[in-house]
Amino acid sequence: MKYPKLHFTGQVWRPPYEANSQLLQLTSGCTWHKCKFCSLYHGTAFRISPLSEIEEDLKVIRQWQPRARRVYLTGANPFALSYNKLIDVALLLRTYLPHLVSFGMFARVTDITSKSVEELRNLHHLKLDNINIGIETAHDPTLERMNKGYHASDILKQLSKLEEAGIHYNVFYLNGLGGKGYGIASATATANVLNQLNPCIINIVSLTIFPEARLYSEIIDGTYETEPEIERLVETRTLISHLNIKTNILGHHISNTIPVTGILPNDKAAILAEFDKAIASFPEKELKAYRDSIRHL
């Protein structure tokens, strides 16, 4: 028996908590492709899936998962699509999957800029919820050096629009991004911004550079010095200690030498105690050896 295949091009990533979601390709690659540290979509040009292709995939999904309740639209940042195109996709989802409860995707902070609060509300009405946003940090010097294309003020403004529209969202914090000596500044600046917002989940990932990333050459020539592992632990501890909002911390990614999960503020004391213990007991050399053993994310 020949089974129908969905259209997937290039790398396909999803957050761990989307494991039970039905994946559907909306875009391939990234619209930005300028972040110095990123190699996740290396070699894949940005492409928008035609509506005809999306509809073909939805016919397959309806056949095999007719009661799908959650759809995750793949691509580095499908939310870059215009409001009208996203409405078209939302209506197709509604047509083919009548049991759909919500759909989500990755987004850049700048993808929100072109959409008004009213438009965001309309998308939410059509089941858009739980967007994942890689803010990386709210430390402006680091954002500028890494070519993120926005500043801390943009993070606050654009994520506030999502909240006004009723759309839940999760953020990603990239521990170690500032490099040696900048961990505490990055953590503090990020906590200051997040304390003015209400992310459902703060995902913590630790910077791990591969040869395909532009930052790799700066590491080789010495113009960028990576943050030592113990300093990274201090950075994560600083971030969590400065957060005073209700949120979930999810940091059990393979890149983290010390995994961390918990609910704030309830688990804050226990988490900080674990980091204090790790900082005092783990040798830098052992943690560095673990990072060097990581072959892919």
Side-chain angles (χ1 to χ4, degrees):
M1 180 179 180
K2 186 176 181 181
Y3 294 99
K5 296 181 179 180
L6 302 180
H7 295 85
F8 286 110
T9 307
Q11 306 87 339
V12 177
W13 301 92
R14 57 142 180 87
Y17 38 81
E18 295 287 353
N20 293 324
S21 301
Q22 171 63 55
L23 302 184
L24 174 65
Q25 179 173 281
L26 182 51
T27 62
S28 307
C30 178
T31 59
W32 186 244
H33 267 311
K34 296 178 183 179
C35 299
K36 285 187 178 182
F37 59 87
C38 185
S39 57
L40 290 181
Y41 296 90
H42 177 74
T44 300
F46 180 74
R47 172 184 180 269
I48 300 172
S49 299
L51 282 179
S52 59
E53 190 174 286
I54 295 170
E55 191 162 11
E56 287 178 22
D57 285 352
L58 282 170
K59 289 178 181 178
V60 174
I61 293 170
R62 182 175 62 181
Q63 179 182 355
W64 295 93
Q65 296 288 344
R67 301 185 68 83
R69 295 170 59 81
R70 169 77 175 173
V71 170
Y72 197 74
L73 301 172
T74 67
N77 59 321
F79 204 57
L81 269 62
S82 70
Y83 165 71
N84 287 333
K85 288 182 179 178
L86 289 172
I87 286 289
D88 289 340
V89 173
L91 291 174
L92 279 178
L93 291 172
R94 188 173 187 172
T95 298
Y96 284 93
L97 302 174
H99 297 279
L100 186 73
V101 173
S102 67
F103 70 94
M105 67 194 84
F106 284 119
R108 277 176 48 81
V109 170
T110 52
D111 296 340
I112 307 168
T113 307
S114 63
K115 299 167 181 71
S116 68
V117 173
E118 182 180 0
E119 289 173 336
L120 291 170
R121 284 197 186 106
N122 291 339
L123 288 167
H124 181 50
H125 177 72
L126 291 174
K127 309 300 184 183
L128 172 64
D129 208 6
N130 284 100
I131 298 175
N132 293 283
I133 306 165
I135 63 168
E136 323 306 358
T137 180
H139 184 237
D140 280 340
T142 299
L143 288 170
E144 291 172 5
R145 182 170 186 181
M146 293 300 154
N147 290 334
K148 282 302 298 182
Y150 55 80
H151 293 93
S153 58
D154 300 307
I155 296 173
L156 182 57
K157 181 178 181 180
Q158 299 309 321
L159 271 58
S160 294
K161 285 168 58 179
L162 294 180
E163 294 186 8
E164 190 176 348
I167 297 175
H168 298 96
Y169 62 89
N170 312 308
V171 300
F172 283 79
Y173 177 75
L174 191 49
N175 186 42
L177 185 60
K180 184 177 181 179
Y182 291 94
I184 291 178
S186 179
T188 303
T190 305
N192 288 340
V193 169
L194 292 179
N195 281 336
Q196 302 174 66
L197 296 165
N198 295 282
C200 294
I201 299 173
I202 299 174
N203 296 274
I204 299 176
V205 179
S206 194
L207 180 71
T208 308
I209 297 298
F210 299 98
E212 296 81 7
R214 298 180 187 182
L215 191 59
Y216 185 80
S217 61
E218 294 188 19
I219 295 173
I220 297 300
D221 65 25
T223 55
Y224 176 88
E225 190 172 358
T226 56
E227 187 174 358
E229 297 300 328
I230 295 297
E231 189 177 329
R232 295 187 193 211
L233 298 183
V234 173
E235 178 180 344
T236 303
R237 187 197 188 285
T238 301
L239 173 70
I240 294 171
S241 68
H242 281 71
L243 289 170
N244 56 30
I245 55 175
K246 292 182 179 180
T247 190
N248 297 282
I249 298 293
L250 187 60
H252 54 26
H253 190 266
I254 189 175
S255 64
N256 295 321
T257 56
I258 304 298
V260 54
T261 58
I263 301 172
L264 298 186
N266 299 30
D267 298 328
K268 179 185 280 192
I271 291 172
L272 297 182
E274 283 296 315
F275 272 92
D276 288 337
K277 180 180 178 181
I279 291 166
S281 60
F282 281 99
E284 175 73 24
K285 185 177 180 180
E286 182 178 328
L287 298 176
K288 182 65 166 58
Y290 171 77
R291 176 143 339 270
D292 291 342
S293 72
I294 300 174
R295 295 291 173 259
H296 59 79
L297 299 178

